[in-house]
Amino acid sequence: MSRLEHTLELVAINSVSRNEAAIAALIEGRLRTNPALDVERIGDNVVARTTGLHATRLLVAGHTDTVPGDPTRSRVDGEVLRGLGACDMKGSLAVMLELATEPTVRPVEVTWVFYAREEISRGESGLLEIAQLRPDLLEAQAAVLAEPTGGVVEAGCQGTLRVSVELAGARAHTARPFAGRNALHRLGHLLHRVAAYEPRTASIDGVDFVEQLQAVSVGGGVAPNVVPDLATCTLNHRVAPDRTKDEAFAWLRGYLGDCVEPDDILEVADWAPSALPSLTNERLKSLADLSGQRARGKMGWTDVATFAELGVPATNFGAGDPLVAHHDDEHVTRGELDEFARVLGRWLA
Amino acid sequence: MSRLEHTLELVAINSVSRNEAAIAALIEGRLRTNPALDVERIGDNVVARTTGLHATRLLVAGHTDTVPGDPTRSRVDGEVLRGLGACDMKGSLAVMLELATEPTVRPVEVTWVFYAREEISRGESGLLEIAQLRPDLLEAQAAVLAEPTGGVVEAGCQGTLRVSVELAGARAHTARPFAGRNALHRLGHLLHRVAAYEPRTASIDGVDFVEQLQAVSVGGGVAPNVVPDLATCTLNHRVAPDRTKDEAFAWLRGYLGDCVEPDDILEVADWAPSALPSLTNERLKSLADLSGQRARGKMGWTDVATFAELGVPATNFGAGDPLVAHHDDEHVTRGELDEFARVLGRWLA
């Protein structure tokens, strides 16, 4: 099978977050065809390691889940594979499986990590599950996280802050709204302000990070003739590595200003930390050199931050255009897969 | 028992819309204690009629349901009864039951109507159910609808238009929102415009009607890290009797302007028609005189419009302050119940 066909096989398996059992079983079975690998299944995660005596161990990791969507609409369209998760990140997973199962002898030990539940709250992350149960499996001198980067080394990552908002109002009959206060109208002012956000750019070690602020869910409503007394909203703020969680939350509170009043609730629902670029690391610098492209800062949050916490210098590097991840038109091309396989293969050699 | 205690008995029964079986059973049993009444149960509605030979028949109607809330928090507090539905409209129901079951001989025939499911979509209305199954039971020369009016005749009623809105966007990763379009941010602009609405007042036959526009529900959200591609919203527009459904909808479309684009959905979900004031009717004029207060226009939609469609001149007149209906602090006072009982009793005499 071609690389596009191998990718299609993975894309056709529904692996929306928390439904990774089937894809993990396929990956585990494929890895076990290589007798040189020590394969371990931990929950819905799979880790495969060479166990030779080389002093250097490199790690390559990817998540197996996708955001919600319809996995049955995938198809190969000439040189392009279209479908849910094609780019984020089953194209890279297919290349990882190919390199992991080929009989090549390498001058380094390699650890291959396939993990579940990356696209939802970090507390559920399969990588954290491995880190908790078997931290020894994640030890390495350097790591590549195969998130889609278009074949460019994307250094570090931004933090991601999820904030819950509850705006209070007072119920009344909709024919006499002046007797109450419409919490949804208050939500309108808040969303209006969020929509007016102008991204801040932070330059760190010559790499730029652009922050973002988005509303990701809203809710509210009592009955068709009742002025609602509660509006809920969840905001997602992408934070550059020069700000801590507390600094980012304080900034957000200030930015929302009088849209949030003392009786309302504004609280952190989730935080995943940022990671500074690790381009001073020799192994990661050589990856950037092999890619032939200038490194840039990673805009999205990724588990590069988790590896940073574990003391493993890591960077994002994978096949596929990050701009189409989580997008209706998600896809990956044959050329992107070939280039990723070439650079990753040479890095491990 | 006092009038407040009789009201408390009704308020303590959970009768949130579609749960009126228990309160209908209590009302039916109470009415059957008066042998002069012909009592009929139609679904969860109850109709009781005197069947003498007087030429004039007057009708008094009230709904038995409440908006959602907690019926266990009701209590008598001195001269005030507090609780869900106290004002809208179990206080008036208690007085109706009292007058219907007292052994008074009257110079007119009287029809008492207790009906279900008024607080939800009009298509489910218990009054329409009676009108469909037994229209003969609703024939009368004039009708009082005992909605809370603070003891004032509130003439006619406004129409109520419920409109569904779906705003489209394009999905993207929240770290790269510029690759998509956030439908919730678009919703923010729409809610902002709705919140800025300035009510229009229509003067008809010397009675004023003040229109309103309120958002009553919102929804949207895909996943914590996805820019949502769909936002939903329901609007409630209260329409003066000088505008038809089509005129009101056309006005709303124009008012929302560029907040709604060609690919979005804006459609009528529900419409209940308005009713012009019927103060030229002698029976209703005499009710206004008995009340001792100047009639005014009804701001909320009420089944006065249903009676108008059935050819029965009707007006709103009941106990309790309409400003606290559907409000956390809903209540009715002993004085309000006494005054309602006095005026209604004299009208039927």
Side-chain angles (χ1 to χ4, degrees), chain B residues 135-147:
Chain B
D136 57 299
L137 295 181
L138 299 179
E139 288 169 9
Q141 275 71 54
V144 160
L145 185 67
E147 292 279 354

Side-chain angles (χ1 to χ4, degrees), chain A residues 202-239:
Chain A
S203 294
I204 305 169
D205 300 343
V207 180
D208 283 348
F209 293 90
V210 182
E211 297 190 322
Q212 299 293 349
L213 179 64
Q214 294 285 305
V216 294
S217 72
V218 297
V222 176
N225 52 2
V226 177
V227 173
D229 56 353
L230 178 67
T232 62
C233 177
T234 307
L235 303 177
N236 184 206
H237 178 33
R238 299 284 169 159
V239 183

Side-chain angles (χ1 to χ4, degrees), chain B residues 267-281:
Chain B
E267 62 188 17
V268 174
D270 193 41
W271 162 252
S274 56
L276 289 163
S278 294
L279 291 173
T280 50
N281 177 284

Side-chain angles (χ1 to χ4, degrees), chain A residues 5-54:
Chain A
E5 287 162 342
H6 276 295
T7 303
L8 179 62
E9 185 183 35
L10 296 178
V11 168
I13 299 173
N14 182 347
S15 65
V16 173
S17 305
R18 302 192 188 94
N19 295 279
E20 299 92 342
I23 199 166
L26 180 140
I27 289 168
E28 182 184 2
R30 195 69 51 84
L31 291 168
R32 287 196 189 280
T33 63
N34 182 354
L37 291 176
D38 187 23
V39 180
E40 304 220 30
R41 171 95 178 238
I42 299 159
D44 285 335
N45 314 295
V46 185
V47 180
R49 309 162 76 234
T50 60
T51 52
L53 299 173
H54 298 108

Side-chain angles (χ1 to χ4, degrees), chain A residues 64-85:
Chain A
T64 57
D65 60 326
T66 70
V67 293
D70 180 359
T72 67
R73 291 171 53 210
S74 53
R75 67 181 193 281
V76 173
D77 193 2
E79 299 294 298
V80 180
L81 170 71
R82 301 185 187 280
L84 179 68

